[in-house]
Amino acid sequence: MNTELIPALDAAGLPGPPWLFHFLLVFTFFLHLIFMNLTLGGTLMAFVAHLRGGRRLTDPNTVFAKRLMGVNTYAISLAITTGVAPLLFVQVLYQQYFYSGTILLGWIWFNMLVLLMIGYYAAYLHKKFRGPWLGVSAVTFFGIAMTHVAVHLIHVQPGKWAQFDTSALSVLGDPTYWPRLLHFVLAAITFAALVAAWWAVRRARAGDDIELNTTIAKTAWRWSLWSTVLIMVDGFILLGVLPKPVLLGVMRGGLAILGPLTISILFGVGLLMMLARVSNPVEKPGLVSGTLAALTLTIAVMTVTRHQVRVLYLEPATSQFQASVVPQWGNFILFAVLLVLGLATVFWMVRRVLTSPAEGDEAA
Amino acid sequence: MDYPIWDVAMGGGVLMAWVAVTHVIVSHFAIGGGLIIVVTETLAVKRSDPELRELARRSSLVLILVSTVFGAISGVGIWVVAGLISPGAIAALIHNYVWGWAIEWVFFVLEIVAALVYYTTWDKISKGAHLMVGWLYFIGAYFSLVVINGIISFMLTPGGWLNSHAFWDGFFNPTYWPSVVLRTGICILMAVAFMLWSAFKAEADRRSEVVRYLGWWFVGGVVLSYAGYRWWEAALPDTVKALFLGEAPTLASLAATRSFTLWSLTLGLGVTVLALLLAPRLARGLTAVVLMVGAFGFFGGYERLREGTRKPFLIHSHIFSNGLLVSQIDQINNEGLAAHSGWVATGDPAPEAFGRRIFAAQCSSCHTLDGYQSIREVLPTVSDMELVAADDPPGSGAVHYRTQCSACHGEIGYEEMAEMLPSLDEIREDPEFIRELNLGMITMTMIELKEMGAELTAFDRGTTFDMRQLARPYMPPFVGTDEEAEALAVYLASLDSAVAGHAAGGGE
């Protein structure tokens, strides 16, 4: 491979072994995906439900939309917060490729921030004023997804940088662009829908507005079912259109690569079966929780596969560079300890809040 | 310098300034606001004071809207812009301080979750639990500052790190603790400037009391800010201090910024004493606006000083803002920039086109063609020569010479230069001759800039460089072969003909 356009590795070297950063990148990206799925999938579904509900405030569709956007009050913030860590680790591992990819996109990459700002504030404005704001949010979040897929495909293909330098938008013609985008969007919808179904089932089982929550649970369940069907189809298309060397790399990757991929496919089929055999999820709360847990696990495994595909894409380039390693173990341990303490504090805080309800003069 | 170049007409530095300035204002407000709001709520609970509670509650809405939305996004924005305009430099910073950033992220997660919980649980949970969330928010926010301050202050004063390259030597650098004190004060100033708007909504009979309460916070912020600032100045290396302090500062504009900075703080203090403490009933929206101007002026001035004194480095004495490492200077001079960067090597080999790519790689992180730090404006042109030679009206030639030419011809006065110059008619008859002359001058400057590299490599790498010894203390050296220097000169000289309507140089 011609590496002429690939910048040099940073002279400082990696402040830890590569495997550690690969792990942290994948792990934190998985965390990010959880909230990103809620944000993107939730907003897209909420927009459709909002349109279907019209001006009827008690319509189950309207309540469904309101509930999804209620979750987004937290999910958007947490998607950004959890997105910071993989953004950091990708820069450590793939600085040469990632920065080049973002520079070739230039203003499109920068405008992702503008879209995020608009989408976020539009979500708040929707809560306050309704009107067109939910549509604005949905469009901007979809635009951000498009940008991320674009930068990913550009950064993993340094052999095409000269072409992208002439026209960054030519990435839209990459055979994997649309299947990859669709894969992420559908996965986001499936996850957000299942979370909504799970929540509605819990409320219905607790006797809270049973009819409404049953309707919402069924609607959300159907969203999950059909988006999972489409993901399966799209997933195989995506696999088929991968560049030949990458596809061969997957096929010849042995247990390390084929294992996670096979597990993901099997989980996908299993999810379909679980989703298809239930028409009223309120009657099967255990299965609903199990399906959500299985989907979360599938996302975790698919995050590994996605990363492995990136490694295969970049292998011809990365194999020509040897990064030096200058570990800072003490600092890593400090980070790990603080991470554990920080997350424990967050859980403790949330737990304390949930167990301290108060009203009237007793309340804050 | 070996990355592709993002061509921003307004200048990458300007874009970065916009994103960074808005982020630091909001982020400091988010920290100071966290402190004042939770202290206010604590007092409200202890005294059963509904007005203080309302002040905390109203302010928390602003906190959530700006901190978790704008603060978080603009914070990511700084990385995004830095990666776009100075990828090599930000990569160097991240490879040294990734664990610092990772630790900051942990506190950031705590901060954001606590902020969301705090705002959404008013009237829903017990007072004790709510206060606990508020304090956790402040701890998360403040410690994220304590961590990131180590990296920011390191960039200006890397101190012992230059010698050891050890994480903590750079983190606890000479200006670390002064900056912590200074930024703590700034956080409080920012918070009061925003929270005053909420205070004005208090019930009429309590309004003065609430306004005065915030006034005392502002005074505390001024005391911390001033003490931190003076400590920060004292902790700077002498070579950096000399740039803007003393009787003959090297950079007059930075000396003026220092005056502006301190007068802004004085303005803020004066308004606070008069309008918030002595006559709080007179405090109105205009008072808050003036206070904001004072607080922002002080903060902006300090940040300008910090950035200005660091120029032309990203990490002082280690890496320049265009991504050039001091340790690379000799290597690139020997091998050439094209051997180092495929983006420079690939393309039309004609000198002008080659020079354009060299300009993009070496100069465009600071210079635009016609916008901020316009390169065209500082280049000698035929029109400059005409204006100096014409001297019409009398005296204008000297003025033009002083503003456009004396930066490079400081040793030659206007009268002397006027005698050497061809006449106006001669210039108009043969402008190509003048362009040749200009090309020669630009080439000489390139050589001078390249020689600066040799001086830089002669410095002791373990100490902060004394940039005053250099001909252009706020510029990186030119690096590359003599042929590359000539190609860059050809491109720069062609910018004059581009203005004159000839073949336009690229890169616009």
Side-chain angles (χ1 to χ4, degrees), chain A residues 11-29:
Chain A
L14 289 174
W19 62 262
L20 180 60
F21 290 108
H22 282 283
F23 167 75
L24 288 170
L25 174 57
V26 172
F27 173 66
T28 54
F29 187 68

Side-chain angles (χ1 to χ4, degrees), chain A residues 8 74 81 95 356 361 364, chain B residues 2-3 53 105 123 125-127:
Chain A
Y74 300 92
T81 311
Q95 47 131 359
S356 307
D361 287 345
Chain B
D2 46 356
Y3 283 85
R53 177 187 180 274
W105 174 70
D123 292 322
I125 62 172
S126 69
K127 293 183 172 98

Side-chain angles (χ1 to χ4, degrees), chain A residues 314-334:
Chain A
L314 282 171
E315 201 277 331
T318 51
S319 61
Q320 304 194 35
F321 295 89
Q322 188 63 47
S324 60
V325 176
V326 189
Q328 299 175 359
W329 286 115
N331 298 328
F332 164 69
I333 291 167
L334 181 61

Side-chain angles (χ1 to χ4, degrees), chain B residues 414-434:
Chain B
Y414 166 71
E415 302 294 339
E416 199 181 338
M417 180 61 79
E419 280 178 22
M420 289 194 285
L421 276 180
S423 70
L424 184 59
D425 288 340
E426 285 170 330
I427 294 171
R428 285 181 175 160
E429 272 171 27
D430 191 3
E432 280 311 311
F433 168 72
I434 300 299

Side-chain angles (χ1 to χ4, degrees), chain A residues 4-5 7-8 10 13 15 74 81 91-92 95 99 102-103 106-107 113 121 328 331 338 352 356 358 361 363-364, chain B residues 2-3 6 53 65 77 84 91-92 94-96 98-99 105-106 120 123-127 130 132 167-168 342-343:
Chain A
E4 200 182 25
L5 294 181
D10 186 73
Y74 300 92
T81 311
Q91 291 175 80
V92 176
Q95 47 131 359
Y99 291 136
T102 59
I103 292 167
W107 279 111
L113 297 170
Y121 280 116
Q328 299 175 359
N331 298 328
L338 285 171
R352 169 94 194 268
S356 307
D361 287 345
Chain B
D2 46 356
Y3 283 85
W6 183 39
R53 177 187 180 274
L65 283 177
L84 286 168
I94 280 182
H95 279 82
N96 281 290
V98 62
W99 298 121
W105 174 70
V106 173
T120 51
D123 292 322
K124 290 176 186 163
I125 62 172
S126 69
K127 293 183 172 98
H130 198 255
M132 177 270 294
F167 183 99
W168 294 107
W343 295 97

Side-chain angles (χ1 to χ4, degrees), chain A residues 71-284:
Chain A
V71 171
N72 274 354
T73 305
Y74 300 92
I76 302 173
S77 265
L78 294 174
I80 297 169
T81 311
T82 51
V84 169
L87 180 62
L88 175 65
F89 296 125
V90 81
Q91 291 175 80
V92 176
L93 272 178
Y94 294 117
Q95 47 131 359
Q96 304 151 284
Y97 313 98
F98 182 74
Y99 291 136
S100 299
T102 59
I103 292 167
L104 290 171
L105 270 181
W107 279 111
I108 299 174
W109 177 242
F110 177 82
N111 281 332
M112 178 205 52
L113 297 170
V114 179
L115 289 179
L116 189 52
M117 197 85 77
I118 293 171
Y120 201 156
Y121 280 116
Y124 271 96
L125 289 171
H126 164 73
K127 275 195 198 166
K128 191 130 181 102
F129 306 111
R130 292 167 66 84
W133 296 111
L134 187 51
V136 173
S137 239
V139 169
T140 52
F141 290 150
F142 189 77
I144 293 168
M146 289 183 71
T147 308
H148 275 283
V149 173
V151 83
H152 184 92
L153 285 175
I154 292 177
H155 97 279
V156 295
Q157 300 184 88
K160 294 185 180 174
W161 283 354
Q163 171 201 324
F164 293 131
D165 188 35
T166 311
S167 167
L169 289 179
S170 65
V171 71
L172 298 178
D174 187 292
T176 65
Y177 182 86
W178 296 102
R180 179 181 273 268
L181 175 66
L182 205 57
H183 205 66
F184 274 91
V185 172
L186 289 169
I189 289 172
T190 306
F191 186 77
L194 259 185
V195 170
W198 176 80
W199 185 244
V201 167
R202 270 177 67 102
R203 290 183 67 168
R205 300 286 298 185
D208 180 12
D209 217 337
I210 296 170
E211 193 182 338
L212 175 71
N213 279 305
T214 303
T215 309
I216 290 175
K218 283 181 177 176
T219 307
W221 197 256
R222 277 197 299 276
W223 272 99
S224 297
L225 172 64
W226 289 110
S227 50
T228 306
V229 170
L230 292 173
I231 286 177
M232 294 298 290
V233 176
D234 178 70
F236 283 108
I237 293 173
L238 178 57
L239 203 59
V241 296
L242 282 177
K244 201 173 172 187
V246 177
L247 186 60
L248 284 175
V250 172
M251 295 308 167
R252 294 172 184 162
L255 190 64
I257 294 178
L258 282 176
L261 180 63
T262 310
I263 292 172
S264 309
I265 294 170
L266 290 177
F267 268 42
V269 174
L271 276 170
L272 261 184
M273 289 166 64
M274 287 156 101
L275 286 163
R277 57 190 273 223
V278 174
S279 57
N280 182 4
V282 177
E283 292 170 356
K284 304 266 186 185

Side-chain angles (χ1 to χ4, degrees), chain B residues 219-241:
Chain B
V219 170
V222 169
V223 171
L224 277 176
S225 299
Y226 185 72
Y229 176 80
R230 295 309 294 254
W231 188 9
W232 175 77
E233 273 189 354
L236 289 172
D238 290 341
T239 52
V240 175
K241 270 187 222 170

